[in-house]
Each structure stands twice: as C-alpha cells, then as structure tokens.
Amino acid sequence: MLQATKVRLYPTNEQKEFLSGQFGAVRFCFNRSVALKKRFYEKKGISLSIIKELKPLLSIAKKSRKYAWLAQYDSISLQEAVRHADKAFKNFFAKRAKYPKFKSKNGKQSSYHCTSVSVGGNWIKIPKCNPIKAVIHRPILGVVRSITVTKDRVGDYYASVLCETGEKEPEPIKVLKESAIKGIDAGIKVFLTDSDNQEIENPKGLTRHLKALRKLSKAVSRKQKGSHRRKKAVAKLSKFHRKVSRKREDFQHKVSKRMVDESQAVIPESLRIKNMLRNKRISRLIADAAWGNFYIKLAYKCRKAGKLFVPIDTFYPSSKTCPRCLHKFEGLTLARRRWICPHCGQLNQRDYAAALNIKRQGIVQLKAAGHTVLRQ
C-alpha cells in the first residue's frame, strides 16, 4: 500500500539556489515541450508525440552548448516534466482539462524525484543535492519510492514523501448493517446532512474573510509592479489564501475521518461541480465548500479502512422524492427547504429527505454488487 507524507523543508541558501535552478529546469522542459508541439501543429499540421519524438531530444540538448546547463539537475525529473506535458495534452483532447498553459516562475514550483532518494531522522536527500533539513513529524514507514519537492507562493519549501509500506489494502466489507450505512447530501449553508439527520455547518472559510481579502488585494494593486513593496504585499496575500486553504483542509479531514469511523459504507450523491460553477450567484460559495476535495478524502479513507464508498447517479431525484411513499414532487424549487408530499401528506425537510433517498439508492447498488445488507 502506498502512503504519502508531507514534511516541511528548511534548505540552506546554497540549497535554495540549487532548488531554484531545479525548478527552472523542470519548468523549461515542460514549456519547451508544449511550445514545440504547438508550433509544429500550427506551421506544418503535424501532431508530435511528446514521449516518442520530443523526449529523446532531452538527452541531445544536454550535450549541446546552449542547453548544457540542464545536465546539472536530476535527469529523471526533467523526463517527468516532459511526460507531464504529454499528459496535459491527453487530458485536453479527452475534454478533461483546458489547453495546456506555460508554467510561470511566479507560482507554485515543484520537482519530482524517484531515484537516489532517501529520508533520515531530520533530513531528506534528492539527486545532486546535499541532504536538506526537514521536520519529520511522523515515522516514514516502508520503502521510499519518490519525493516531490515543492515551493509555494509564500516561499516555503515542502516535500511529499511517497512510501510503499508493504501492507495490503483491507478487503471491502461484504456483510453490512443497514444502520452503519450513511447517505449524505451536500449543501452550501449546511455542509452536509446525513441519513441520521445530523447536520454539519459549513465553515465558509473564504466567505467569512472576504473583507480581509479585498483589503490585501487592494494593497497589492496600489504597489508599483516589480517593486519590493509589491512583492511583500503579494506574500501577505498568498499567506492569507494559504491560511484559508489550510482551515478548509483541516475541517474536511476531520469530518471525513469521523464519517469513515462511524460507518461501514458512505453513500454520497455524484455532483457535476463544473456545471454548477456556471451559476454566478452561488459559484463562489460552491468553490468555497470544495465538495470535490471532500469526496476525494472520503474515497481514499474508506478504501484504506476497508469501508465502502458508493456514489450514486447525478440525476437521481433525491430531493424531489418523498422518502416514505417515493412520490416524485416536480414542483420543488431550490429555495424551498420544506415541502409536504401531495401523495401521503408527510412534511419533508429537503436535505434530510435527500440523504434518506440517497441511502436507499446506495443500498440497492450495494446489493446489486453482491454485498449483503442486514436490517438491524
């Protein structure tokens, strides 16, 4: 089983200079691959294969006088940059992402290393660099497979250490109790409502700090471009965004861990967040909630614990269906939070009813997949 651990790095000035060059080399290889593929297609109508035709050029470039400086850095990380460019184009043609953009030296920087890497008690080692001081806050178990070094916009350095622990992922549970299955309905005001009628309020980390965000953004815009004071203002703004992001991550990790511990199966409703973000009135609130990241955390924690994560279909009418008689109420609007079923007369709370229906549909999918659900 693979397990990643993120640690803080404290490189020396000499190591910072090396890492800056390493990031620059990775960025150069990625941008050059994108530019060559684009140029050949526009000029000659040829679609170059980045892996087969452009990747071999890397070794040739190192021997040339113009690009000999690339040989100073880890060759595997440079090859990975070319591979990432190829993956970016594949995602674009598969309509999973936008057209690849050139990497900027002003944003987040990263470099991937998978050979000649090691981790000690208070250091990490990557190729062609002396051991870098690190805060190893938890034991690194297993064999180190790769280390990804990153530098955020604030200027802090981190390393993501990927290890193979040798343990096998636990087998998914085959026999489940109905009471240990949770259906969840995601929302904006209430982050989620489960089938046990428990509500978790949305912390709205970004929304609550919009005033401070505007103040810091205006401070950046007032500074002259390229000045030292503008750099300081940008650093303050970046720290603010990082603080909000960390609060959101902490909240989602705690909620997802609790849900996995309390259940044998978690059943959410699949969401097409990309389409939902087109609604300009609530797009910022949806982005602030970050349901997609929360579902990712739920999925891998369920898999690691041997629990089940079973998303149901996006178009299942969970909110419009009465959980008692299963009558579908077509007149339900987004603003209506409570509604009375015209068929059986039950008063339904929208989110709780949706969670119950999601749980019912998830149980159907579990049984169809060969799992046994016991009524208790």
Side-chain angles (χ1 to χ4, degrees):
M1 184 168 60
L2 296 175
Q3 183 172 347
T5 305
K6 188 175 182 180
V7 299
R8 177 74 184 272
L9 300 181
Y10 293 93
T12 62
N13 291 332
E14 183 180 353
Q15 290 170 342
K16 286 181 180 179
E17 186 177 351
F18 171 82
L19 290 175
S20 178
Q22 176 70 50
F23 296 146
V26 168
R27 188 172 62 249
F28 171 81
C29 291
F30 179 90
N31 292 346
R32 197 66 174 171
S33 299
V34 173
L36 286 173
K37 186 175 178 68
K38 182 179 179 181
R39 183 183 304 171
F40 268 78
Y41 184 78
E42 290 177 347
K43 299 290 184 180
K44 301 182 180 182
I46 301 174
S47 179
L48 293 177
S49 171
I50 292 182
I51 298 296
K52 294 181 180 179
E53 298 175 358
L54 295 183
K55 195 172 181 180
L57 294 177
L58 189 58
S59 58
I60 300 175
K62 291 180 185 178
K63 298 175 183 178
S64 67
R65 183 176 299 178
K66 186 176 181 180
Y67 301 117
W69 59 274
L70 291 173
Q72 303 174 26
Y73 306 105
D74 183 16
S75 60
I76 301 298
S77 65
L78 304 186
Q79 293 176 26
E80 282 297 309
V82 177
R83 189 179 65 84
H84 289 162
D86 181 65
K87 185 177 180 181
F89 274 102
K90 287 181 178 178
N91 289 336
F92 168 70
F93 290 122
K95 298 183 179 180
R96 292 191 295 264
K98 295 182 180 180
Y99 190 83
K101 294 181 179 179
F102 294 133
K103 292 184 179 296
S104 170
K105 64 180 180 180
N106 296 322
K108 180 181 176 181
Q109 309 294 316
S110 66
S111 178
Y112 173 85
H113 309 272
C114 60
T115 58
S116 302
V117 293
S118 57
V119 179
N122 61 349
W123 54 267
I124 67 158
K125 178 72 173 65
I126 61 175
K128 300 188 177 182
C129 182
N130 294 327
I132 304 174
K133 182 181 177 182
V135 177
I136 311 296
H137 59 281
R138 64 179 62 180
I140 305 296
L141 304 175
V143 180
V144 178
R145 292 301 181 190
S146 67
I147 295 178
T148 302
V149 180
T150 59
K151 177 186 176 184
D152 61 16
R153 292 182 66 91
V154 180
D156 295 335
Y157 294 82
Y158 298 89
S160 179
V161 183
L162 182 66
C163 297
E164 188 170 348
T165 61
E167 301 176 357
K168 292 184 178 180
E169 288 188 358
E171 292 291 329
I173 301 173
K174 291 295 183 182
V175 181
L176 303 95
K177 297 179 181 179
E178 187 174 339
S179 59
I181 299 175
K182 280 187 182 290
I184 59 173
D185 178 68
I188 294 177
K189 183 177 180 181
V190 177
F191 181 71
L192 65 84
T193 305
D194 65 19
S195 51
D196 296 330
N197 202 16
Q198 296 180 354
E199 295 183 346
I200 298 178
E201 291 295 322
N202 188 357
K204 297 181 181 179
L206 180 62
T207 307
R208 292 183 177 182
H209 295 87
L210 282 178
K211 187 176 181 180
L213 172 63
R214 291 192 184 99
K215 184 177 180 180
L216 292 172
S217 298
K218 288 180 180 180
V220 172
S221 63
R222 285 196 297 265
K223 304 297 186 294
Q224 185 177 358
K225 290 185 178 180
S227 66
H228 179 66
R229 289 190 176 184
R230 185 181 176 89
K231 290 181 180 179
K232 290 177 65 177
V234 170
K236 286 184 179 180
L237 181 61
S238 299
K239 283 185 178 180
F240 171 83
H241 279 292
R242 187 176 66 177
K243 180 179 179 181
V244 173
S245 176
R246 285 177 173 178
K247 285 184 176 181
R248 185 187 297 115
E249 288 289 310
D250 180 68
F251 166 76
Q252 291 188 354
H253 274 297
K254 289 177 179 177
V255 173
S256 58
K257 179 67 166 61
R258 191 180 76 186
M259 295 203 68
V260 172
D261 290 344
E262 293 177 352
S263 60
Q264 293 178 330
V266 180
I267 305 171
E269 181 181 16
S270 298
L271 299 172
R272 296 196 173 184
I273 301 174
K274 184 177 179 180
N275 295 341
M276 298 171 70
L277 289 173
R278 294 174 182 171
N279 187 338
K280 295 183 180 180
R281 294 183 178 180
I282 58 174
S283 59
R284 184 166 57 198
L285 295 173
I286 292 173
D288 191 14
W291 297 322
N293 288 336
F294 177 70
Y295 283 178
I296 290 173
K297 294 178 180 65
L298 270 179
Y300 84 74
K301 288 179 182 179
C302 284
R303 186 173 63 252
K304 188 176 179 180
K307 310 292 180 69
L308 297 170
F309 181 79
V310 188
I312 68 168
D313 184 57
T314 305
F315 299 103
Y316 177 70
S318 57
S319 299
K320 297 181 178 180
T321 304
C322 176
R324 177 190 285 180
C325 66
L326 304 183
H327 172 75
K328 187 177 178 182
F329 180 46
E330 296 291 351
L332 186 64
T333 60
L334 185 62
R336 197 168 178 179
R337 310 313 300 173
R338 295 174 181 270
W339 57 280
I340 297 175
C341 177
H343 187 265
C344 67
Q346 173 169 289
L347 175 64
N348 293 311
Q349 201 278 336
R350 182 193 183 101
D351 296 338
Y352 177 47
L356 290 174
N357 291 324
I358 290 170
K359 177 180 178 179
R360 181 185 290 110
Q361 184 66 15
I363 291 175
V364 172
Q365 292 184 197
L366 286 170
K367 290 181 178 179
H371 297 277
T372 303
V373 180
L374 304 176
R375 288 181 172 273
Q376 288 186 0

